Amino acid sequence: MSVLRSMDKLPDLNRATVLLVSTEDALLQQLAESMLKDDCASELRVHLANSLPLPSNVNRPRIDLIVFVINLHSKYSLQKVEEFLQHVDSSFFLGKVCFLVTGAGQESHCSVHQNTVIKLAHTYRSPLLLCDLQARAWCMDIHAGRAPVHIRY
């Protein structure tokens, strides 16, 4: 097990690799599928992880962006992301990490207050996306730019 470093490998031409990290496998799979649906000039690779650190014996591509997915309905989700952050090199926090927070549309049912994740994103100086990904159609609308997403820096 090793710390993820942003400069371990050289970038690939016209290829980006995104690592989605969350304790919720179904949500990660749904998000990855919607990201890969659209055609673009560059190749997008999406890798899923339900924990960090990643095994060090695996030959993996350079990771260009890490997206930590936090569910506001689960304190466990926030706790695990806070643990995972310890396994990410500080160089990733220079524009290569963001937080995607789900469940923001149902504040009355939240176990984690939005201010908690806002402070977390501010501490790591990383963008924060607040949204509600409960419906598959809504998830695709976000990716296509048709649904509202609140972005905080």
Side-chain angles (χ1 to χ4, degrees):
M1 304 291 186
S2 63
V3 171
L4 283 175
R5 300 187 193 288
S6 66
M7 302 299 177
D8 278 351
K9 297 182 179 189
L10 293 173
D12 292 330
L13 186 62
N14 295 325
R15 181 181 299 152
T17 303
V18 177
L19 177 65
L20 300 175
V21 182
S22 175
T23 56
E24 300 181 31
D25 292 334
L27 179 63
L28 285 182
Q29 188 65 38
Q30 178 183 358
L31 187 58
E33 287 173 5
S34 69
M35 290 173 69
L36 293 171
K37 274 195 171 190
D38 290 338
D39 285 334
C40 63
S42 300
E43 180 185 349
L44 176 64
R45 292 182 176 181
V46 179
H47 293 263
L48 310 178
N50 56 13
S51 67
L52 289 182
L54 297 174
S56 57
N57 60 352
V58 176
N59 186 11
R60 63 177 169 267
R62 170 190 162 108
I63 297 171
D64 299 299
L65 176 68
I66 302 174
V67 179
F68 289 100
V69 182
I70 301 170
N71 184 348
L72 289 180
H73 301 286
S74 169
K75 287 182 182 179
Y76 177 76
S77 172
L78 175 64
Q79 177 188 10
K80 295 309 284 183
V81 166
E82 290 174 332
E83 289 176 22
F84 300 158
L85 286 166
Q86 297 172 13
H87 302 286
V88 178
D89 187 67
S90 61
S91 63
F92 260 105
F93 298 101
L94 300 172
K96 295 184 174 211
V97 168
C98 76
F99 297 95
L100 176 64
V101 179
T102 66
Q106 303 168 348
E107 275 191 74
S108 60
H109 303 310
C110 292
S111 303
V112 178
H113 196 273
Q114 283 185 12
N115 284 340
T116 305
V117 292
I118 290 169
K119 288 178 186 175
L120 179 70
H122 182 71
T123 299
Y124 288 95
R125 300 192 182 276
S126 298
L128 172 66
L129 301 158
L130 296 167
C131 57
D132 196 341
L133 299 178
Q134 297 306 316
R136 181 173 174 80
W138 210 91
C139 184
M140 286 190 243
D141 285 346
I142 288 174
H143 184 62
R146 295 185 299 258
V149 177
H150 304 285
I151 302 174
R152 291 204 126 120
Y153 292 97

